[in-house]
Amino acid sequence: MALVLVASLSLAAQPHGFAAPNGTKKVVIPFSFHNGFIVVDVLYQGFFPMKFVFDTGAEYTIITKRDIAESLGVNYTKSYRILGSDMTTELVAYLSRGVELELNGLLATSQDLLVLEDDYFRLDEFTGVPIQGILGANFFRHLIFEINYRRQTITFYFPQYFDPTDLRGFTTLDIDVVRGKPYLKCELEVRTDEAMQAKLLLDTGASLGLLLHTDSSGLLRMPENIIPGAIGSGLGGQLNGYLGRIERIQLDDFFFSGLVVNFQQMEEALDTSFLNNRNGILGNMLLHRFILVFDYFREKVYLRPQRRYNKGFRYDRSGLTLIASGVGLNNFLISNILPHSPAAEAGLEVGDQIIGINGLNRRFYDLNHLNKVLQKRVGKRIRLKVIRNEQKKTFQFQLRDLI
């Protein structure tokens, strides 16, 4: 997720104290995986439970809901201006120092975090669960950690007890760590026989598979078969761009073909120096096909592929983007519709509230399950019941490949 401070902010000089229960050498943290986001339970100041997104693409730990911070009596020292994901919207955050955070017995004292003036991310809507913050690099870059998506665990190792030779079946790749963010170089072939070396941010805070900045290299041209639409959301609101599939991406000896890619076009007038010359982002929809060990000290990432790691990539076949809303996040709204998609041709509109799908009430679904239904086989018939302007309406369409 993009978080760019306009003013200088140095958190690295602050002390970082970690303690593990009973002096153990590692701590295993369970997580839940919601709509492509890793969500961990965090205990704030020893008493208040929160849910944070675990985000290697964020430099700082953040509380996204200022009203919660105010109710907890969080003290601020400074305010900072932030550029949003579109690199034009200017937002505000407040710095709080000396905070204590705990994850399943892993205690971190003297932590610094930012409190957003407003909930710009609206992560509740995209995960379908209440989210109060983001766990960023200033928390975990002092440790070595393993992410196992299948078991849904993050294992933190204290550096003095970690030996990379103990890893079995892992491939070692070099990364560059800049301002707490890990960058990996790999080979891309967006179009047939047009290979290039790309620098990508390893971003566990991104629910997508791969995002490419099309103006970051003269070799990076979009494929011919693309569709316009919303490619994600970040600080500053919805990000628009194009969707398509690339020929190939290679991480060392691991190959992927037909990966669904989000293409973001950057305006020439924008200052993109904070991107560290990156060409894009690798997110969870590709990363979850590996067990990953991040070693910021040695500037390495260790990969072990999951079973059938390079199977085909599914994508939404309806044209709908859904968000969760309401007190229990059990109301599902259409936030975007791709033009010329099955949903658009059926007559669905942005703002429609889904109350039933294929004869089942929406109470039997969560956001993650709804999105999986919309990725099912080509030709599957979908029957949606919605509320529009306080009236119930029913629409039908068949799923088909869009890209």
Side-chain angles (χ1 to χ4, degrees):
M1 296 181 182
L3 178 64
V4 187
L5 291 183
V6 179
S8 174
L9 172 60
S10 177
L11 303 185
Q14 300 303 309
H16 291 80
F18 285 88
N22 302 319
T24 55
K25 298 178 181 180
K26 64 180 182 181
V27 179
V28 179
I29 311 296
F31 70 81
S32 52
F33 201 49
H34 297 279
N35 217 26
F37 292 92
I38 297 173
V39 179
V40 295
D41 291 321
V42 175
L43 193 63
Y44 174 85
Q45 297 290 63
F47 75 95
F48 192 81
M50 294 182 174
K51 289 187 181 296
F52 280 28
V53 168
F54 187 86
D55 190 355
T56 57
E59 191 174 346
Y60 308 109
T61 296
I62 302 166
I63 291 180
T64 57
K65 298 185 184 299
R66 188 182 178 188
D67 57 341
I68 291 179
E70 298 284 357
S71 67
L72 294 173
V74 174
N75 295 317
Y76 310 132
T77 59
K78 294 181 181 178
S79 64
Y80 293 90
R81 291 175 296 128
I82 301 174
L83 290 181
S85 301
D86 58 3
M87 280 162 287
T88 59
T89 306
E90 192 172 282
L91 314 171
V92 177
Y94 303 93
L95 174 64
S96 180
R97 294 194 182 276
V99 175
E100 179 182 288
L101 301 176
E102 182 180 342
L103 281 74
N104 199 35
L106 177 65
L107 181 64
T109 59
S110 302
Q111 293 290 299
D112 298 310
L113 56 79
L114 297 173
V115 178
L116 298 183
E117 185 177 53
D118 201 357
D119 186 6
Y120 306 113
F121 281 120
R122 297 169 22 236
L123 286 166
D124 305 38
E125 297 181 358
F126 301 102
T127 61
V129 295
I131 301 294
Q132 291 84 31
I134 295 167
L135 199 68
N138 68 306
F139 177 89
F140 50 71
R141 68 184 177 189
H142 303 281
L143 302 170
I144 294 166
F145 56 94
E146 174 189 294
I147 303 176
N148 189 317
Y149 289 87
R150 183 163 294 176
R151 294 182 180 177
Q152 295 193 359
T153 58
I154 302 172
T155 302
F156 287 100
Y157 299 90
F158 286 84
Q160 64 268 34
Y161 301 123
F162 178 79
D163 185 353
T165 61
D166 292 336
L167 297 173
R168 298 289 184 266
F170 282 79
T171 297
T172 305
L173 301 180
D174 293 326
I175 58 174
D176 293 322
V177 180
V178 181
R179 296 179 66 88
K181 297 182 182 182
Y183 296 87
L184 174 72
K185 291 183 180 179
C186 65
E187 186 170 289
L188 287 179
E189 191 175 333
V190 179
R191 296 179 175 219
T192 304
D193 298 327
E194 293 186 10
M196 63 170 288
Q197 289 291 316
K199 180 179 180 181
L200 304 174
L201 171 66
L202 298 176
D203 189 355
T204 63
S207 62
L208 46 79
L210 175 64
L211 182 146
L212 294 175
H213 307 304
T214 58
D215 298 320
S216 62
S217 169
L219 298 174
L220 211 168
R221 298 192 301 144
M222 286 188 287
E224 293 182 3
N225 183 25
I226 57 173
I227 55 176
I231 61 174
S233 181
L235 281 173
Q238 183 170 279
L239 302 178
N240 294 311
Y242 296 88
L243 300 169
R245 291 182 185 267
I246 64 172
E247 287 293 320
R248 179 176 60 92
I249 180 172
Q250 180 178 348
L251 309 178
D252 195 75
D253 292 331
F254 304 111
F255 294 84
F256 301 89
S257 59
L259 175 64
V260 177
V261 177
N262 304 68
F263 294 93
Q264 182 182 17
Q265 292 181 300
M266 317 293 282
E267 296 180 15
E268 293 184 2
L270 294 178
D271 177 12
T272 59
S273 58
F274 78 92
L275 296 177
N276 294 311
N277 297 313
R278 79 182 187 211
N279 302 111
I281 292 171
L282 271 180
N284 284 325
M285 288 300 99
L286 188 144
L287 296 178
H288 87 283
R289 297 178 178 225
F290 297 92
I291 298 174
L292 301 162
V293 178
F294 288 82
D295 186 346
Y296 287 15
F297 296 91
R298 297 175 179 85
E299 294 199 315
K300 307 287 185 185
V301 63
Y302 310 94
L303 305 178
R304 191 171 78 187
Q306 302 276 19
R307 186 168 170 265
R308 298 182 63 205
Y309 76 94
N310 60 351
K311 65 181 180 181
F313 291 88
R314 287 188 177 185
Y315 188 71
D316 165 72
R317 289 176 165 138
S318 69
L320 294 174
T321 300
L322 307 179
I323 60 173
S325 66
V327 176
L329 294 172
N330 56 1
N331 293 330
F332 307 111
L333 301 177
I334 298 175
S335 66
N336 189 71
I337 303 177
L338 292 178
H340 312 298
S341 65
E345 293 166 357
L348 287 156
E349 296 180 0
V350 171
D352 286 347
Q353 178 183 337
I354 296 174
I355 57 174
I357 181 169
N358 291 347
L360 284 178
N361 190 281
R362 49 94 176 160
R363 291 195 300 270
F364 292 95
Y365 291 89
D366 60 22
L367 185 62
N368 200 53
H369 289 140
L370 274 177
N371 284 322
K372 285 184 177 179
V373 170
L374 300 177
Q375 295 177 6
K376 288 189 176 292
R377 61 175 174 81
V378 172
K380 181 174 177 59
R381 189 172 297 277
I382 301 296
R383 185 170 179 265
L384 284 184
K385 183 178 288 187
V386 306
I387 293 178
R388 180 190 299 170
N389 298 326
E390 300 182 353
Q391 292 185 341
K392 294 181 180 179
K393 295 179 177 290
T394 301
F395 299 87
Q396 295 189 53
F397 55 86
Q398 286 182 286
L399 299 179
R400 67 170 184 262
D401 285 329
L402 303 177
I403 50 176

